Amino acid sequence: MRIRTRLRAAAVGAAALTLLTLPGTGIAGAQAAGDPGDKPPIANRDAPRAPAPAGFTGWDALFAEQDRLNGVADRITERGETAEGFGGIVVAPENHEVRLYWRGTVPDAVQEVVEQGRQVAPVRVLPAAHTNDQLLQEATRWLEAGQVSGAVPQPDGSGVQLSVAGGDTSPDQLRRPGGSTAPIAVERGETFTPVYDRQNDVPSYYGGGRTYNKQEWSGCTAGFPIVDRNGNTGFLTAAHCGNLWTDFYDGGDVYDQANHMGRLNWRISNRDAAIVNGNTTGRVFVGGKTSSSSARVVDVIKSYPGNYVCNSGATMGEICNIKVTHYGWSGTYSNGQHVKHMIRAKHVNGSCAGAAGDSGGPVYSYADLYDTVKAQGIFSAYSKSVNCGGPTGGSVIVFPRVWDVLLAFEASLLVS
């Protein structure tokens, strides 16, 4: 089945494959994924593996509350994010409310959608010391000054958070770039490393499976299934996992053409996003690193500070209890790659949030605890090294939003 639809309005069925198109992309006539053939989907009845945060009976309850609040936040940001005075927004399910930060008087047009949102969930409007636009400009100045590894506006509009490599760097050791006046907070020991490195998928390919780049001998993870602007199926992955025209193989023998997944034909370095064209279907692996269980991809949503997400890579398997802290992080990775407008998130317990080889893999929230997920990101890099049980990894991660990447590629998410 081929359907073009606005976000959050896709009709999905147990067996039907649907094309979910972002507003304004102009994609038409794209093809659905191939027949999964002798690969019957296996449901995961143990996910997520970590206990849900306090105050919720389980992850299904948390993600249901998060979806309720995100729906309100979407309507507010569609009208308010570009309006003068917008300071930021926080959507943490444990708060049971949307918190909108604004500098000055909220315009009538924005106040209107705030009032509409309050019919669905509580919305609190709080004062912001600075606008998001100002803080984005200041974050760019800090990054260009070469003293930090990354910079991002605080989600409440209070200032700029800086990532620095040194473990004992203090704010007074940093020289303010010209034109930067907002308060700064320093997150020490943050050098973000793009992660190269479940394990032997077969067509039609799921997101979350192992990939190998034959020319560059790098191991990564397949991301969400998509249809590109030309109507060809494929999957998202991280741009640092390969250059244009390189060939990707699954976890089997890279010298066996039967394991050839496809070729990397689309790439945006500063979003660390790429498309490998090949035979895919609208599912992602969930559960542990050797799991055969999968969930249907049913939607793509924006990530907001306060949201909880799961990271499902081929090295570590599914890790939940990861919380979004900031949106708009820009920085320089340890390999010299410059990225912008990323999501920054961290494991709430300081545990491993992602490791080498998980790059490119799907970051999502659950729509239904066992069977369906909503696309949020593509895992890109980690920082704050912690024990990941052997692999090199960290408790802090960054990733581009799938929403932004699809718009940039003029591509569509393949849902099932």
Side-chain angles (χ1 to χ4, degrees):
M1 177 168 58
R2 297 185 298 179
I3 294 178
R4 293 184 67 240
T5 180
R6 289 187 64 85
L7 285 174
R8 312 188 66 81
V12 297
L17 289 171
T18 306
L19 184 64
L20 185 64
T21 314
L22 291 177
T25 57
I27 304 297
Q31 300 172 0
D35 185 350
D38 295 328
K39 186 183 174 185
I42 300 172
N44 175 26
R45 296 297 166 186
D46 299 317
R49 292 174 290 161
F56 293 93
T57 57
W59 283 101
D60 51 349
L62 181 143
F63 284 125
E65 176 67 354
Q66 182 166 292
D67 280 349
R68 181 176 77 107
L69 300 176
N70 278 5
V72 173
D74 284 346
R75 291 189 288 274
I76 292 173
T77 56
E78 282 173 9
R79 188 170 297 182
E81 198 167 24
T82 58
E84 185 177 353
F86 177 79
I89 194 165
V90 173
V91 190
E94 60 266 49
N95 293 338
H96 302 287
E97 66 178 10
V98 174
R99 295 179 181 175
L100 174 65
Y101 294 87
W102 205 272
R103 179 174 173 80
T105 302
V106 178
D108 291 342
V110 178
Q111 187 63 41
E112 179 183 3
V113 291
V114 168
E115 296 301 331
Q116 292 171 356
R118 285 172 173 159
Q119 303 303 309
V120 178
V123 179
R124 187 139 57 112
V125 180
L126 299 165
H130 307 275
T131 67
N132 187 253
D133 281 345
Q134 176 196 343
L135 297 181
L136 281 172
Q137 293 173 17
E138 295 204 11
T140 299
R141 294 189 190 105
W142 276 106
L143 190 61
E144 292 175 346
Q147 304 176 77
V148 300
S149 58
V152 62
Q154 298 285 22
D156 61 359
S158 60
V160 178
Q161 178 168 298
L162 305 177
S163 301
V164 296
D168 56 0
T169 303
S170 63
D172 56 10
Q173 292 177 287
L174 300 173
R175 299 182 304 278
R176 277 191 174 274
S180 297
T181 60
I184 58 172
V186 175
E187 192 69 32
R188 300 170 182 84
E190 287 204 343
T191 301
F192 284 87
T193 303
V195 283
Y196 303 94
D197 193 297
R198 107 237 244 255
Q199 302 305 321
N200 190 7
D201 197 8
V202 297
S204 291
Y205 290 110
Y206 296 170
R210 172 65 69 211
T211 69
Y212 287 105
N213 182 319
K214 185 175 182 179
Q215 286 91 337
E216 300 175 12
W217 294 104
S218 60
C220 286
T221 298
F224 288 102
I226 56 89
V227 176
D228 70 18
R229 63 187 298 179
N230 296 328
N232 301 310
T233 58
F235 58 84
L236 297 172
T237 193
H240 71 257
C241 292
N243 289 310
L244 285 172
W245 326 130
T246 52
D247 292 296
F248 279 62
Y249 289 75
D250 60 37
D253 184 359
V254 296
Y255 294 104
D256 185 347
Q257 195 62 20
N259 297 316
H260 184 247
M261 303 178 79
R263 179 164 290 182
L264 194 155
N265 291 321
W266 306 85
R267 190 174 187 272
I268 303 176
S269 179
N270 64 14
R271 303 313 296 268
D272 199 26
I275 294 175
V276 176
N277 288 116
N279 184 1
T280 58
T281 195
R283 301 187 74 92
V284 295
F285 284 110
V286 295
K289 63 183 180 182
T290 59
S291 172
S292 297
S293 301
S294 63
R296 293 187 296 118
V297 181
V298 297
D299 204 350
V300 54
I301 61 175
K302 294 179 180 179
S303 300
Y304 293 106
N307 279 187
Y308 285 84
V309 297
C310 299
N311 183 20
S312 189
T315 297
M316 295 302 298
E318 184 182 67
I319 303 173
C320 295
N321 228 8
I322 300 171
K323 191 170 187 178
V324 174
T325 62
H326 297 82
Y327 168 62
W329 189 90
S330 298
T332 304
Y333 290 165
S334 60
N335 65 351
Q337 181 180 354
H338 301 289
V339 295
K340 64 179 184 179
H341 303 319
M342 309 286 271
I343 293 289
R344 181 186 182 274
K346 64 179 181 180
H347 196 287
V348 297
N349 298 326
S351 302
C352 185
D358 289 333
S359 271
V363 178
Y364 51 78
S365 58
Y366 273 92
D368 173 87
L369 184 56
Y370 302 116
D371 298 321
T372 57
V373 299
K374 297 183 179 182
Q376 291 217 31
I378 314 163
F379 178 45
S380 178
Y382 70 86
S383 186
K384 293 291 182 73
S385 295
V386 295
N387 181 7
C388 290
T392 302
S395 62
V396 176
I397 62 173
V398 292
F399 56 87
R401 298 194 305 190
V402 171
W403 180 290
D404 299 328
V405 169
L406 292 177
L407 287 173
F409 281 127
E410 298 183 45
S412 305
L413 184 71
L414 191 59
V415 299
S416 63

